Amino acid sequence: MGDDLALNAHQVSGVSAEREIPVVWSVAKGSFRNKCILVPAALIISFIAPWLINPLLLLGGLFLCYEGAEKILEKLFHNKQQVDDQATLDLGGDSVEEYENKKIAGAIRTDFILSAEIIVIALGTVQGQSTSIQIMVVSLIAVLMTIGVYGLVAGIVKLDDLGFYLERKSNGKGVLSSIGRGLIAFALN
């Protein structure tokens, strides 16, 4: 879930402030479509080849280890200026709409992989239960995770706006200003 939050919040970078929530909403709808594919597929695998659940869990764990190692190595060995240069908005000849659509498609692809991991983990927790329990638990987790993740992503991408609002409202003085500056600093890191 942490990967999902971080990656999807990052996918919105470079999108104008007034378009952040519509972009998050588009990705959330894509995530729901992903779950409509993944939940039945995982349940079918569970019914046809239940022995496959543990190897899928192991593969998901290996993938998470790979991602974790990649993030650590990136933090340790990438030049901050190089990362800042890549973060600047470069439409690469695309219109703003095409740029947003590419960001959305990338976030939905990332969500598919992360959702598959979540669904398999959820299925692994109810592997020995009845079919109705498996369907109910995996479906509920899929829905709650999507609502939770994209609700938090929407909040994360709007933190800087809240910080700027508090900064303006307090005229740069007092506790509200300090909170605003803190939110802005947090959102930019």
Side-chain angles (χ1 to χ4, degrees):
M1 185 171 147
D3 279 344
D4 224 350
L5 284 172
L7 286 170
N8 285 303
H10 175 72
Q11 288 289 349
V12 181
S13 65
V15 174
S16 65
E18 64 273 357
R19 294 288 307 147
E20 288 172 338
I21 296 300
V23 167
V24 170
W25 175 240
S26 294
V27 177
K29 289 187 294 187
S31 178
F32 275 116
R33 283 190 298 274
N34 287 343
K35 305 293 190 310
C36 288
I37 295 167
L38 291 167
V39 169
L43 290 167
I44 289 168
I45 290 170
S46 174
F47 302 141
I48 294 173
W51 56 268
L52 197 53
I53 298 299
N54 284 336
L56 288 173
L57 285 169
L58 288 171
L59 285 173
L62 286 172
F63 183 74
L64 288 172
C65 289
Y66 164 77
E67 282 184 328
E70 183 180 49
K71 287 177 185 173
I72 290 169
L73 291 173
E74 186 175 301
K75 282 282 187 194
L76 292 175
F77 298 111
H78 274 89
N79 180 348
K80 175 136 175 64
Q81 182 61 41
Q82 178 185 7
V83 172
D84 289 343
D85 290 346
Q86 291 172 352
T88 59
L89 181 59
D90 179 17
L91 298 179
D94 292 338
S95 70
V96 172
E97 185 177 338
E98 290 169 330
Y99 175 77
E100 279 184 13
N101 288 337
K102 284 181 180 179
K103 294 288 256 183
I104 291 166
I108 292 171
R109 275 191 307 275
T110 300
D111 175 87
F112 189 86
I113 294 167
L114 296 171
S115 293
E117 294 172 14
I118 291 167
I119 297 301
V120 171
I121 290 168
L123 188 56
T125 63
V126 291
Q127 189 174 7
Q129 302 295 320
S130 69
T131 302
S132 59
I133 296 288
Q134 288 183 18
I135 292 170
M136 199 169 41
V137 167
V138 173
S139 299
L140 186 63
I141 287 174
V143 170
L144 291 177
M145 292 298 290
T146 304
I147 291 169
V149 164
Y150 290 98
L152 285 171
V153 168
I156 289 169
V157 300
K158 286 303 192 183
L159 272 179
D160 57 341
D161 293 341
L162 177 59
F164 288 124
Y165 170 78
L166 292 174
E167 185 73 11
R168 276 192 315 273
K169 184 165 179 67
S170 65
N171 293 321
K173 298 177 185 151
V175 174
L176 286 180
S177 176
S178 296
I179 293 170
R181 282 193 306 270
L183 288 173
I184 294 166
F186 178 77
L188 295 177
N189 289 324

